[in-house]
Amino acid sequence: MKTRVGFVGALLAAGAVILMAAVSAPAGEGSVQVLRSIPFDANSNASDKVKSGCKLETKVPQFLDSFSDQVELVDTLSKSSGRVLELSISDVHAPGGGAFSGAKSMSVKGVLLDNGKKIGSFEAKRFSGGGVFGGYKGTCAIVGRCAKAIGKDIATWLENPGMDSRLGDS
């Protein structure tokens, strides 16, 4: 007696194979560790008000995590094993006054390590005037737009990292 699997049966079998492969892969394989809270460089020009009020040190990693399935947010980095992305906020231009004091910008530097070996680096910079109705946004909202764009830029870069890359408006 011959059995016909048919199109639906073949799809179900293929789906089961894919599901088994996904379940059997070790958790975190190929993931990139990123600090949950990244530092400001000593010469970042960020005011104390921006540092304490805008939460850029956590927004950049959170946005990066939301745009990349490779990222694993951690409290401490294990630099000697696996893939690690060291990030720091290198520059912030965010005078108070929202959009009325002009465009805001921020820059983030990053170094990608694989088992302690440097395999990629970048500087990402973004400017924003606040977008539509920018005059009604505060300084933190405007630099928050920069943080979101930078998170997306870094996620895209992680797909094909290179050395000394310039991301965003750099």
Side-chain angles (χ1 to χ4, degrees):
M1 174 176 174
K2 287 188 175 180
T3 316
R4 284 183 43 177
V5 173
F7 182 70
V8 174
L11 280 176
L12 289 173
V17 170
I18 291 169
L19 181 61
M20 288 187 330
V23 170
S24 66
E29 183 174 284
S31 67
V32 178
Q33 293 181 35
V34 175
L35 281 177
R36 192 176 315 279
S37 181
I38 63 174
F40 284 87
D41 286 352
N43 299 323
S44 70
N45 299 312
S47 68
D48 290 339
K49 193 170 183 177
V50 166
K51 285 180 181 178
S52 65
C54 296
K55 309 293 185 223
L56 298 174
E57 68 275 14
T58 56
K59 283 185 179 181
V60 172
Q62 287 170 350
F63 283 125
L64 171 57
D65 185 41
S66 73
F67 289 116
S68 175
D69 59 0
Q70 295 183 54
V71 171
E72 175 189 359
L73 297 181
V74 297
D75 293 321
T76 56
L77 297 175
S78 173
K79 295 182 185 181
S80 60
S81 66
R83 290 177 46 153
V84 171
L85 180 59
E86 296 176 330
L87 298 174
S88 66
I89 299 170
S90 55
D91 187 56
V92 178
H93 175 76
F100 298 108
S101 60
K104 315 294 183 234
S105 67
M106 72 177 289
S107 298
V108 173
K109 288 184 180 178
V111 174
L112 181 61
L113 305 170
D114 189 5
N115 295 318
K117 181 183 175 196
K118 183 177 176 178
I119 61 168
S121 61
F122 68 83
E123 181 166 2
K125 184 170 192 160
R126 283 293 181 160
F127 295 91
S128 180
V132 177
F133 306 114
Y136 300 105
K137 290 186 175 143
T139 298
C140 287
I142 296 171
V143 291
R145 288 171 56 97
C146 295
K148 183 176 183 178
I150 287 172
K152 190 172 187 177
D153 293 336
I154 297 169
T156 301
W157 176 83
L158 276 173
E159 296 296 322
N160 188 19
M163 296 294 277
D164 302 319
S165 300
R166 308 298 260 172
L167 311 180
D169 299 325
S170 293

